[in-house]
Amino acid sequence: NGLIVGLGTDGCASNNNLDIFEEMKAAALLQKGFKGNATLLPAKQALEMATINGALALGLETGSIEIGKKADLILIDLKKPHLQPIHNIISQLVYSTKGSDVDTVICNGKILMENRKVLTLNEDEILEKAQNSAERLVSEAREG
């Protein structure tokens, strides 16, 4: 019908997870299981929903590697037992890869994480603030 369907994550509002790889896998497997048809929502389509379609749905100039688009990229460490052997890289990304396999993150050409180390923020401080905020919200909800 001409609709753009994208995938995304939103944390505790849905499933307490921000792993887009798990969302791709779930989307592909749920369609297959629900309809009883293993050919529905192939890996390539799930990957497109998480990349180019997500960008199109949000009006962003990302989602694919092209001249004129922002250089938003991730590098995956494929040298892990659960990612071997590789027969089809797209299927491997959708069905076997996890967010923890991301080695490097580049946004608009700037390296934000390299070798799994966040370069632009104090990760420990952010995690502590997030935990404190969550605890405060729970406490306030119980009180009021």
Side-chain angles (χ1 to χ4, degrees):
N1 292 329
L3 295 175
I4 297 170
V5 178
L7 291 175
T9 63
D10 64 357
C12 64
S14 58
N15 69 358
N16 287 0
N17 195 330
L18 297 173
D19 191 329
I20 193 66
F21 294 98
E22 287 188 25
E23 301 305 323
M24 287 189 290
K25 181 178 181 177
L29 293 178
L30 285 171
Q31 290 301 309
K32 291 167 178 44
F34 182 71
K35 294 288 190 173
N37 182 344
T39 65
L40 294 179
L41 196 61
K44 183 177 186 291
Q45 187 176 356
L47 181 63
E48 289 171 350
M49 289 168 63
T51 56
I52 188 68
N53 286 6
L56 288 170
L58 295 172
L60 302 174
E61 289 296 320
T62 63
S64 62
I65 301 170
E66 298 179 51
I67 293 173
K69 287 196 172 184
K70 292 183 178 181
D72 289 353
L73 307 164
I74 58 170
L75 305 180
I76 306 291
D77 180 1
L78 297 172
K79 294 179 183 173
K80 295 187 175 182
H82 67 279
L83 296 176
Q84 296 296 319
I86 298 173
H87 297 289
N88 179 310
I89 189 66
I90 293 174
S91 290
Q92 208 72 3
L93 288 172
V94 172
Y95 296 113
S96 300
T97 304
K98 302 186 179 314
S100 58
D101 297 322
V102 175
D103 177 80
T104 300
V105 175
I106 304 167
C107 289
N108 201 17
K110 182 177 179 181
I111 299 173
L112 303 181
M113 182 175 82
E114 187 172 25
N115 298 320
R116 299 229 14 97
K117 180 170 175 35
V118 178
L119 304 176
T120 58
L121 303 167
N122 183 327
E123 188 175 4
D124 291 334
E125 182 180 315
I126 291 169
L127 293 173
E128 183 179 338
K129 284 182 178 181
Q131 184 63 40
N132 291 339
S133 294
E135 289 171 4
R136 188 186 80 249
L137 289 171
V138 168
S139 176
E140 290 173 2
R142 286 184 182 148
E143 293 172 5

